[in-house]
Amino acid sequence: MENKLTAAHLEDRVTEKKGALAVTLADERVWLLPERAVWWPATRTVFVADVHLGKAASFRALGQPVPSGTTRDNLDRLSALIDGLSAARLVVLGDFLHAAAAQHAQVLDPAQAWRERHPALACLLIRGNHDSHAGDPPPSLRFEIVDEPHPMGPFAACHHPQRVDGAYVLAGHLHPATTLHGRAHERHRLPCFAESEGLMILPAFGAFTGTTQAGLPEGSRCHAVGGGAVWPAPDTRSA
């Protein structure tokens, strides 16, 4: 039965998932996923950062011609991730909503339908800087909402990259990227997981978020996301 799945069974599921990269953080085996998420099978927990629901709507409210449908796309991808892993808990490492403009029906109605699709899923939001401006999600979405750093076993769940004594930090905020350099001097930027001592910065999950290489800890090891896989990037040179 689904509720009796063991960590070994869950790990078997992800090892069959093309493109996932296993790493050990704080003596815990976790998986970096091409969906731009971290999977902790021992607790059936999936971490994502920087979903930014309603960002496109916020731009359209300012009269800027940006694509529509990004909220539903983000939620559909989140559902596929949760269902594919049989996740019991979702942790959003900040910036679930983008701005106050997201507190309207065009964003909240799809979010409510998504929540009703996953009634047994435990959801935890670590407040980020955009959450502070947007306001907490409505109670009907049933998120536990906490401030950073939030202890979770050997990990500290944060939005802003930081050091926490005695814990390995999982964070977001920076939307990290790495640049690949070709032989013909071409360059291509890809989202990445940025790993440094005691800290893993997740790529932004949201589809309309952008990336940057600014502010990454010096010497970060970047695991690029591209081609449906996560793999060690050859360098971290800036664009």
Side-chain angles (χ1 to χ4, degrees):
M1 294 177 60
E2 203 69 27
N3 62 352
K4 292 184 179 180
L5 289 172
T6 66
H9 289 148
L10 292 166
E11 187 161 312
D12 286 343
R13 282 192 174 191
V14 79
T15 55
E16 296 170 0
K17 184 177 180 59
K18 182 179 179 182
L21 178 66
V23 296
T24 299
L25 308 178
D27 295 325
E28 286 286 331
R29 187 176 179 86
V30 303
W31 296 82
L32 311 183
L33 304 179
E35 291 86 352
R36 303 194 293 277
V38 169
W39 173 236
W40 185 14
T43 61
R44 294 177 62 188
T45 300
V46 62
F47 297 87
V48 299
D50 301 288
V51 182
H52 287 279
L53 293 183
K55 182 174 182 179
S58 299
F59 276 75
R60 288 195 300 275
L62 297 174
Q64 300 188 32
V66 300
S68 61
T70 56
T71 290
R72 285 183 172 83
D73 174 69
N74 287 334
L75 293 170
D76 286 347
R77 291 189 299 110
L78 200 53
S79 284
L81 181 63
I82 291 162
D83 291 342
L85 295 169
S86 295
R89 178 169 54 178
L90 169 69
V91 178
V92 180
L93 300 172
D95 292 359
F96 182 65
L97 300 177
H98 179 71
Q103 298 275 11
H104 293 286
Q106 61 180 321
V107 175
L108 294 183
D109 285 354
Q112 188 63 49
W114 167 83
R115 191 64 177 101
E116 291 170 3
R117 180 175 171 179
H118 307 283
L121 182 71
C123 294
L124 174 68
L125 170 63
I126 313 301
R127 282 193 184 94
N129 54 303
H130 280 269
D131 299 301
S132 298
H133 296 295
D136 291 341
S140 61
L141 293 185
R142 293 189 291 113
F143 271 80
E144 180 186 358
I145 304 169
V146 299
D147 293 322
E148 62 182 358
H150 181 71
M152 299 183 67
F155 300 116
C158 300
H159 176 63
H160 297 90
Q162 57 194 275
R163 307 294 178 183
V164 175
D165 289 343
Y168 192 102
V169 172
L170 301 176
H173 184 59
L174 293 181
H175 305 194
T178 188
T179 297
L180 307 183
H181 298 259
R183 293 180 178 177
H185 304 290
E186 70 271 28
R187 294 179 293 182
H188 186 64
R189 180 178 287 187
L190 293 173
C192 74
F193 296 85
E195 181 182 3
S196 58
E197 187 67 30
L199 171 65
M200 177 72 77
I201 306 172
L202 278 65
F205 183 84
F208 185 60
T209 52
T211 61
T212 184
Q213 293 174 283
L216 296 184
E218 187 175 354
S220 293
R221 300 178 295 281
C222 291
H223 307 287
V225 181
V230 181
W231 39 276
D235 61 58
T236 58
R237 291 176 291 174
S238 61

